Amino acid sequence: MGRMGTGGGGGGRSYSAAPNDYRLLEEVGYGASATVYRAIYLPFNEVVAVKCLDLDRCNSNLDDIRREAQTMSLIDHPNVIRAYCSFVVDRNLWVVMPFMAEGSCLHLMKIAYPDGFEESAIGSILKETLKALEYLHEHGHIHRDVKAGNILLDSNGVVKLADFGVSACMFDKGDRQRSRNTFVGTPCWMAPEVLQPGSGYDFKADIWSFGITALELAHGHAPFSKYPPMKVLLMTIQNAPPGLDYDRDKKFSKSFKEMVAMCLVKDQTKRPTAEKLLKHSFFKTAKPPELSVKKLFADLPPLWNRVKALQLKDAAQLALKKMPSAEQEAISQSEYQRGVSAWNFDIEDLKAQASLVHDDDEMQEMREDDESTKQVVNSKNTSYSRFSLGKAVSTNEVIYSEQTSGDVFPPAECSSNKEKTPERDILESDYQGKVELEKNASRTELPPSHPEKDPVLAKIKTSAGNSRQTQSGPLMPGIVLNHSKSERGRSSERGENENQPLAERPMREVRRAPSFSGPLMLPNRASANSLSAPIKSSGGFRDSLDDKSKANLVQIKGRFSVTSENVDLVKDIPLCTVPRRSAQDSPLKKSASVCGDWIVDSKQMPIGQQPKEICNGSQNEKFPSLPRSSENNGIVSTFSIFWLTFNSAESTASDRERSLLMKISELQARLVKLKDSKI
Ligand SMILES: Nc1ncnc2c1ncn2[C@@H]1O[C@H](COP(=O)(O)OP(=O)(O)OP(=O)(O)O)[C@@H](O)[C@H]1O
């Protein structure tokens, strides 16, 4: 065990760096490199949260980790989560902080408000978040990962901004300063200037992310979230900024729309500072959070049961995908779509790869893309909620075969589903009897589960069992770490976690697929917000692909690889356990269906409306204009390669085949359209 030298305390009290002083209880959240537990600090008999950062899974070097812990311990603002103390236990860094009993806004939306919150709650949440940003910016910090998943709520409605995993200091010099020129954050929330190589950015990048977060809270998802990362990058750079639509978002006030528009200005110099934004009329009228936020979770089960339900749902998804291993599953876009942090691209590498691609090829792909896009956009009334792979369509066009809405569990099945899903079991038992699970109870006994009797769990377990691989995490200088397996270390430190219900173990196994670190990184942080499998670097991953996955491989270029199967990963399992609420519909409706967080059904988002959301405003009413090769700087070319050129080096399809396949997909789209128009 070692010490990190950060400490302090809540309310002047000191928290010890002795792991035995903490009793870890339920898991309440996780990211790719961290798992967060509700815990009791025994000397004070106080509930706290302990974030266990697995140093093996951390992409960052020890300095970064130390910086996060240090930043957190120096924080002194009611809207920013602070660390009471942090210390190293085995191969984990434990960060002790206040427990936020209602978890993140993202979790809350996923579980009960799939269409977003009502305006009064949004106003309060955003105002508190903005106060946090004002404080951080004043003290020279750029948060760099502002999003609903990092806005935490406690049961009194208190709002705190969390996760300094990728924050940067504006006063940094040298290497640290250069890190501000790196490409860090979560794609959908990232400001255009953050995506531009070498241009540098400052705290105004947080204001952009704040604007995106406002849209996320309003709609239940960030703009562009259903597109693959490279598409998002292109759209962010090229399109008019997203915003609240005057037609579609009628329920929202003019001042809210204006405020969002002020944040989402591409020219960072024209964005307001947090301080200035706080003076906007939208925030002047915002209610105190105890009035507007607290009621959001009045009738929901405890956080850990919500988290468990979401985990089960994600794990079941993984199992049902019949992927050869959890690792292969892990390249999923779904991860990214739900908000993966710390995308860390090597711009030079991307540029180098871009330079290897001929403009002609690129332009050809762009034209194909454009045509296909039109097909998709024109398929009015077609419910396309996810990247469902039309089997008759070449893997090269996976992204465009979105017209099919098959494979999605229909809402009816959700609400009337007589069969119990594992997550339903958990929440039902919790809901009905509130079981013994009392918030802040010192120990929680969960009902035992029997994976052997549960095909889903059994499957997960098997797949997880097969999936473990050697990890190649970064070396952590300056710290002596016990070389025992981190999992073992964790268990022994935790002691009682050995007794954890079996049902929890497979889930953890699934998530804990190794993080392949190395120079070329696919985001390897499974988001705390995503509750899904971790993503792996294609660098380390590439060699480990078995034949099947190679056959499915659409592209491997540099750090990214896209498989035909992972494109279609977002088929959701119905989560029929917790009543969902719409913004207008605040009382719980137990019969409400919950069918996946990212399902955008035709009612929610008709195809015809989509371009408005994407382009919003006068600048760019049609689908993303594609880069002209003459305008391409390295990065745009590179993104074009990934997004537009879905013909991998490995692909065997000739141009002729491709164009035939394109035709097939066009015909399919027309057929769907015709069918729809007849109905
Ligand atoms: N103090 C807390 N109290 C309650 N829940 C928390 C707390 N801190 C974090 N969580 C939950 O755990 C999740 C993961 O935490 P955090 O975001 O810090 O981890 P991470 O590995 O940095 O994740 P990410 O991939 O989003 O960066 C959060 O989204 C939240 O749901």
Side-chain angles (χ1 to χ4, degrees), residues 152-196:
L152 303 181
L153 308 168
D154 85 0
S155 39
N156 295 320
V158 171
V159 178
K160 287 184 196 280
L161 185 59
D163 198 355
F164 294 85
V166 293
S167 69
C169 180
M170 286 183 283
F171 310 129
D172 285 345
K173 295 266 184 310
D175 276 354
R176 295 277 303 275
Q177 202 278 334
R178 269 193 293 284
S179 81
R180 279 207 286 122
N181 291 328
T182 56
F183 195 78
V184 175
T186 311
C188 291
W189 290 260
M190 284 163 85
E193 69 272 16
V194 180
L195 304 172
Q196 306 282 357

Side-chain angles (χ1 to χ4, degrees), residues 91-127:
R91 297 175 74 83
N92 294 286
L93 174 70
W94 286 21
V95 181
V96 182
M97 54 188 159
F99 177 60
M100 301 295 283
E102 302 302 332
S104 72
C105 286
L106 183 71
H107 277 169
L108 194 55
M109 288 194 293
K110 282 175 78 137
I111 210 81
Y113 300 89
D115 301 328
F117 301 132
E118 61 182 3
E119 184 168 325
S120 68
I122 297 173
S124 309
I125 292 169
L126 287 178
K127 184 171 181 179

Side-chain angles (χ1 to χ4, degrees), residues 508-534:
R508 190 168 290 118
E509 292 294 304
V510 169
R511 288 199 311 278
R512 296 239 166 88
S515 92
F516 293 84
S517 51
L520 299 180
M521 286 295 167
L522 192 75
N524 71 347
R525 307 177 77 192
S527 172
N529 314 319
S530 74
L531 295 156
S532 190

Side-chain angles (χ1 to χ4, degrees), residues 8 10 41 45 67 146 185 188 272 305 417 440 514 550 608 625 655 668:
Y41 180 55
N45 196 24
R67 194 176 71 231
V146 179
C188 291
N305 277 10
N417 195 357
N440 303 339
K550 272 181 187 150
S625 59
D655 285 350
Q668 281 182 328

Side-chain angles (χ1 to χ4, degrees), residues 316-358:
Q317 265 180 264
L318 287 180
L320 286 179
K321 288 300 299 176
K322 296 193 192 90
M323 295 291 276
S325 74
E327 279 80 8
Q328 285 164 40
E329 188 77 20
I331 321 174
S332 156
Q333 286 192 74
S334 71
E335 189 61 37
Y336 136 82
Q337 284 176 316
R338 296 160 200 209
V340 180
S341 299
W343 280 66
N344 203 345
F345 301 94
D346 179 337
I347 300 292
E348 290 310 314
D349 173 57
L350 291 177
K351 272 193 197 168
Q353 290 173 44
S355 65
L356 297 176
V357 173
H358 298 297

Side-chain angles (χ1 to χ4, degrees), residues 203-222:
F203 57 89
K204 294 286 186 72
D206 282 345
I207 301 294
W208 175 279
S209 308
F210 178 79
I212 299 286
T213 305
L215 294 177
E216 187 187 8
L217 298 177
H219 295 145
H221 57 88

